[in-house]
């Protein structure tokens, strides 16, 4: 059988069985870590080869193409590489330290939909791959009747209305551990869970949901700082960290360039877990959008578009579809260089191209394609997690007759006729 066509009776391997992995649970994180690079894209077919398929094979191939477009691999950018390299180095260095004490943390800052979470999670997963290989070499096999408690990376999200108890529960949920009733017991359970599960990295996402005008927010931030005393590398991910107030009371050490958070004041019930420290140190790294004002920025954007183009499975696509002519400038204007917005525009554009049988991306097709951000119920607009979507300035929507005046006459395209028409 031709390898480019699926077996008529084969099981469809690209359809997901069950809900997507929940990375805020250790089981879901392990599932995601193992499958994150395993998706097999649809084969490249020409238009003639596609038409030669039977109706069922053609439908399956179109479904596979859709799955390919919405599961494009994570592409490194110069900005994400800087973040990932710093994060992997920090995690590895801190994990190799034998002496007790505070581990320097990391803050990943950027706008909404700029890939902060995926970049951080991928770097943490790569770190865990190495740690697990070492762990299995030192401690091969499992003890019958016991639970595998090795959780090198714990990822959680700060609740929208954060409290110290809520943060502790979010961390304990990673391990599936019960929630004690009091705050002191919750903090103690978090400390025990991180130690017993041999956790080296704790990622707290959406940290800028803290408004700090409430006492609960301030107490939660104090607790986050204290978590650094658990011999764990703390990675905080948020939108506009400098403008959020989270750096209140912190200062930049001129010798190291790190942000230093002095110890919290005495009197907090949960401070008993914190060792005496002169301050807790964080490096802050920005994950910026693409820059189209410099030659290096333009080159990086074109390289990114070329990587996307290679992953597309449109039947009339061609080399340079996204990287030549006016298309690069158009795509940058539509997305302002934000990786997540670009990804959504390409996904929705490909769906439109398949539905209309145009089978390629053009400015005209993308102009009528709306960028959909998907389910936003778990995002906090007040924290800047939902970005503003730029309007398509090349194809403005016609004004309504009411705005133009009652005597305005529109042609059959809904536009004002030119003079002399």
């Amino acid at each position: 059988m031709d390898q480019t066509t699926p077996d008529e009776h084969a099981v469809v391997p690209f359809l997901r069985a069950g809900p997507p992995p929940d990375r805020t649970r250790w089981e879901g994180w392990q599932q995601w870590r193992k499958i994150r690079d395993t998706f097999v894209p649809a084969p490249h077919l020409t238009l003639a080869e596609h038409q030669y398929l039977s109706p069922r094979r053609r439908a399956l191939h179109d479904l596979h193409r859709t799955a390919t477009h919405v599961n494009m691999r994570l592409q490194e950018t110069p900005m994400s590489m800087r973040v990932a390299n710093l994060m992997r180095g920090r995690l590895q260095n801190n994990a190799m330290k034998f002496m007790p004490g505070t581990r320097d943390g990391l803050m990943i800052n950027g706008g909404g939909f700029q890939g902060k979470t995926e970049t951080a999670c991928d770097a943490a997963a790569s770190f865990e791959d190495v740690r697990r290989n070492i762990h299995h070499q030192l401690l091969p096999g499992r003890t019958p009747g016991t639970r595998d408690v090795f959780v090198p990376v714990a990822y959680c999200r700060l609740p929208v209305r954060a409290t110290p108890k809520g943060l502790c529960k979010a961390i304990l949920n990673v391990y599936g551990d019960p929630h004690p009733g009091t705050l002191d017991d919750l903090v103690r359970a978090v400390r025990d869970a991180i130690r017993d599960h041999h956790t080296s990295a704790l990622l707290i996402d959406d940290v800028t949901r803290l408004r700090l005008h409430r006492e609960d927010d301030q107490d939660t931030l104090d607790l986050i700082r204290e978590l650094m005393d658990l011999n764990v590398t703390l990675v905080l991910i948020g939108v506009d960290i400098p403008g959020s107030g989270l750096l209140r009371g912190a200062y930049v050490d001129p010798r190291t360039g790190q942000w230093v958070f002095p110890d919290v004041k005495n009197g907090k019930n949960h401070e008993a877990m914190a060792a005496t420290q002169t301050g807790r140190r964080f490096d802050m790294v920005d994950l910026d959008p693409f820059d189209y004002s410099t030659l290096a920025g333009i080159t990086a954007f074109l390289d990114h578009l070329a990587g996307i183009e290679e992953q597309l499975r449109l039947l009339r696509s061609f080399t340079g579809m996204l990287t030549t002519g006016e298309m690069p400038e158009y795509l940058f204007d539509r997305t302002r260089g934000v990786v997540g917005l670009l990804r959504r525009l390409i996904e929705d554009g490909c769906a439109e191209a398949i539905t209309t049988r145009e089978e390629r991306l053009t400015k005209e097709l993308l102009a009528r394609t709306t960028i959909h951000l998907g389910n936003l119920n778990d995002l906090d607009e007040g924290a800047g997690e939902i970005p503003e979507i730029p309007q398509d300035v090349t194809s403005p929507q016609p004004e309504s007759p009411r705005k133009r005046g009652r005597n305005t006459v529109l042609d059959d395209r809904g536009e004002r006729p030119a003079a002399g028409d």
Side-chain angles (χ1 to χ4, degrees), residues 117-275:
T117 296
E118 294 309 314
T119 299
C121 286
D122 188 71
S126 298
F127 162 77
E128 180 170 342
D129 291 340
V130 175
R131 295 291 294 175
R132 284 193 172 274
N133 288 335
I134 297 174
H135 178 75
H136 291 319
Q137 292 177 20
L138 297 177
L139 299 172
R142 299 181 179 181
T143 304
T146 63
R147 178 185 177 193
D148 184 6
V149 296
F150 187 50
V151 184
V153 175
Y155 168 82
C156 67
R157 302 179 65 187
L158 197 68
V160 173
R161 188 172 178 85
T163 64
K165 283 188 175 181
L167 175 59
C168 288
K169 291 177 181 179
I171 296 174
L172 293 174
N173 286 342
V174 174
Y175 307 102
D177 289 355
H179 303 162
T182 67
L183 178 57
D184 287 342
D185 289 340
L186 279 167
V187 173
R188 188 176 299 108
V190 168
R191 178 184 58 198
D192 293 343
I194 290 176
R195 181 197 63 222
D196 295 344
H197 294 277
H198 306 284
T199 300
S200 299
L202 174 60
L203 281 61
I204 303 180
D205 205 349
D206 303 323
V207 70
T208 42
R209 289 177 173 179
L210 295 175
R211 302 293 193 274
L212 300 182
H213 63 277
R214 299 183 307 122
E215 185 177 356
D216 280 342
D217 289 353
Q218 298 174 16
D219 291 345
T220 304
L221 179 59
D222 291 340
L223 175 60
I224 289 174
R225 296 174 186 174
E226 292 176 10
L227 292 175
M228 295 179 70
D229 297 319
L230 301 178
N231 293 333
V232 64
T233 302
L234 195 61
V235 180
L236 307 181
I237 308 168
V239 175
D240 189 19
I241 292 177
S244 67
L246 294 182
L247 303 180
R248 182 184 305 173
Y251 62 92
V252 177
D253 187 334
R255 299 169 301 172
T256 63
Q258 291 180 307
W259 285 91
V260 181
F261 292 82
D263 280 334
V264 295
K265 298 179 180 180
N266 293 328
K268 302 293 184 183
N269 292 332
H270 48 79
E271 193 180 1
M273 64 174 287

Side-chain angles (χ1 to χ4, degrees), residues 211-400:
R211 302 293 193 274
L212 300 182
H213 63 277
R214 299 183 307 122
E215 185 177 356
D216 280 342
D217 289 353
Q218 298 174 16
D219 291 345
T220 304
L221 179 59
D222 291 340
L223 175 60
I224 289 174
R225 296 174 186 174
E226 292 176 10
L227 292 175
M228 295 179 70
D229 297 319
L230 301 178
N231 293 333
V232 64
T233 302
L234 195 61
V235 180
L236 307 181
I237 308 168
V239 175
D240 189 19
I241 292 177
S244 67
L246 294 182
L247 303 180
R248 182 184 305 173
Y251 62 92
V252 177
D253 187 334
R255 299 169 301 172
T256 63
Q258 291 180 307
W259 285 91
V260 181
F261 292 82
D263 280 334
V264 295
K265 298 179 180 180
N266 293 328
K268 302 293 184 183
N269 292 332
H270 48 79
E271 193 180 1
M273 64 174 287
T276 301
Q277 303 290 338
T278 59
R280 294 161 178 83
R281 295 177 176 268
F282 284 86
D283 283 295
M284 182 163 62
V285 58
D286 295 317
L287 185 55
D288 299 316
F290 282 100
D291 176 22
Y292 212 74
S293 63
T294 65
L295 180 59
I298 294 174
T299 300
F301 188 62
L302 291 177
D303 289 342
H304 190 74
L305 293 180
I308 293 177
E309 185 181 296
E310 191 276 332
Q311 299 185 66
L312 302 185
R313 297 298 187 265
L314 299 178
L315 302 178
R316 290 190 173 95
S317 63
F318 55 92
T319 301
M321 181 175 64
L322 302 182
T323 59
T324 59
E326 298 179 353
M327 186 64 85
E329 289 83 356
Y330 175 82
L331 292 173
F332 185 85
D333 289 339
R334 280 293 303 272
T335 63
R336 293 178 184 164
V338 177
V339 173
L341 295 183
L342 176 63
R343 187 184 188 98
R344 290 299 177 91
L345 177 61
I346 296 299
E347 287 180 8
D348 294 339
C350 287
E352 176 73 8
I354 292 176
T355 300
T356 61
R357 299 184 181 179
E358 294 187 46
E359 292 293 345
R360 64 177 178 174
L361 298 182
T362 63
K363 285 178 54 180
E364 292 74 21
L365 182 143
L366 293 175
R368 61 177 187 264
T369 301
T370 302
I371 299 178
H372 296 286
L373 298 183
N375 184 5
L376 304 178
N377 293 333
D378 61 343
L379 298 181
D380 185 357
E381 184 175 5
E385 296 170 11
I386 303 176
E388 179 184 355
I389 300 177
Q391 298 297 320
D392 182 4
V393 296
T394 63
S395 299
Q397 295 296 322
E399 294 179 324
S400 65

